[in-house]
Amino acid sequence: MPEWLVLTLAMLAACAVVVLITVVRHRRASDDEDITETPDVIEYMTMWIGVVYAIVLGLAIAGVWEARSAAQDHVQAEAVALHEISERVRVYPPDVRDRIREDVNAYVGHVVTTEWKAMADRGEVTERGTELLDRVRADVTDYEPTSDFEAQAYQPLVDQVTAADQARIARAESTGATMPGVVWFGLITGGVVTVGMVFALQIRRTARELVLAGLFSALIAFLLFLIWDFDAPFSRGVAASTEPFLNLFPGAGD
């Protein structure tokens, strides 16, 4: 099911629940109930519950967005390091240079065509990707420079291999969800309590109040969906992309 459809259904369901509860509550209210009077303490509690929950939502959104941005930074760092390896080996003999570039291209091609899908579906990197990167490392570290010019390029190449490996490890650690289950429990419970306090204010079944209550509940549903969508950096809607690899290695996706 498309994520935009899930979001639409969630927001409509939140509005429908609020309107249904309001209508049922209005019909079951006693004839002598004074709905114009709301204790000051309830208004005070409702205000502070809304403020606290808004702060929690803001922190949660900032947290998952930062995790998503960090995941994209890891992808960028890995792609740049591999591109530097491919470019700096030009000082090596043609056979060594071509072998290293072929292995780098094979690794990048595997990442963007196979490993990326594995991260989205299973939340993990592949063993084949690890093997291909180890082959690049062996190509670089096992070569013995034969001139001062090659010797000067050797250590920077080793450093770039290390940078690519570190970025890959960081990318692997970023594949899973970033929000703990207890936080999700607090967010959902807080949303229910916050919406429930609307009924504590004894809203009436007027068009204006029903529309405002429905929009309020739909907004909370949207924010919770936004947190869920950002929670997995390499899957769902707004996910980290393979664009850094494809920009530096245009033929990797073929």
Side-chain angles (χ1 to χ4, degrees), residues 19-243:
V19 172
L20 179 62
I21 294 177
T22 304
V23 172
V24 171
R25 181 177 179 275
H26 180 78
R27 290 183 176 179
R28 291 188 175 183
S30 59
D31 296 335
D32 58 348
E33 181 181 6
D34 187 3
I35 60 176
T36 62
E37 293 294 333
T38 301
D40 292 339
V41 65
I42 294 182
E43 294 182 355
Y44 182 79
M45 290 174 58
T46 302
M47 178 189 68
W48 277 107
I49 288 175
V51 170
V52 171
Y53 189 64
I55 295 174
V56 172
L57 279 177
L59 291 176
I61 293 174
V64 294
W65 177 257
E66 182 179 357
R68 189 261 178 198
S69 299
Q72 188 66 55
D73 290 340
H74 299 326
V75 176
Q76 180 72 32
E78 184 178 3
V80 170
L82 291 169
H83 184 259
E84 285 295 312
I85 295 172
S86 183
E87 291 297 321
R88 293 190 183 195
V89 294
R90 68 177 61 188
V91 302
Y92 283 4
D95 58 331
V96 178
R97 178 190 63 206
D98 294 342
R99 183 176 70 252
I100 293 176
R101 286 179 174 176
E102 288 176 1
D103 288 341
V104 169
N105 291 334
Y107 171 74
V108 174
H110 175 78
V111 169
V112 300
T113 59
T114 303
E115 190 166 79
W116 213 264
K117 188 176 185 301
M119 291 191 300
D121 295 342
R122 304 193 302 271
E124 60 183 16
V125 296
T126 62
E127 293 183 2
R128 177 60 177 167
T130 303
E131 294 174 359
L132 291 173
L133 185 59
D134 288 341
R135 183 184 300 175
V136 174
R137 180 186 291 106
D139 291 339
V140 173
T141 58
D142 292 351
Y143 177 72
E144 295 183 6
T146 58
S147 66
D148 291 340
F149 191 35
E150 292 179 0
Q152 292 175 1
Y154 178 81
Q155 188 58 48
L157 278 170
V158 173
D159 293 340
Q160 292 301 323
V161 172
T162 302
D165 190 29
Q166 291 176 343
R168 174 181 169 80
I169 294 174
R171 173 165 61 85
E173 294 175 349
S174 302
T175 54
T178 58
M179 296 289 288
V182 65
V183 176
W184 273 114
F185 175 79
L187 289 173
I188 295 174
T189 303
V192 172
V193 172
T194 302
V195 174
M197 291 303 294
V198 173
F199 302 106
L201 291 176
Q202 299 178 328
I203 64 173
R204 290 169 289 182
R205 196 178 58 178
T206 63
R208 180 179 61 182
E209 290 177 329
L210 286 178
V211 168
L212 289 176
L215 291 177
F216 178 69
S217 61
L219 176 61
I220 291 180
F222 170 75
L223 293 176
L224 289 175
F225 177 86
L226 194 64
I227 295 172
W228 174 83
D229 201 38
F230 287 162
D231 193 29
F234 292 100
S235 59
R236 300 174 187 165
V238 186
S241 70
T242 59
E243 185 176 351

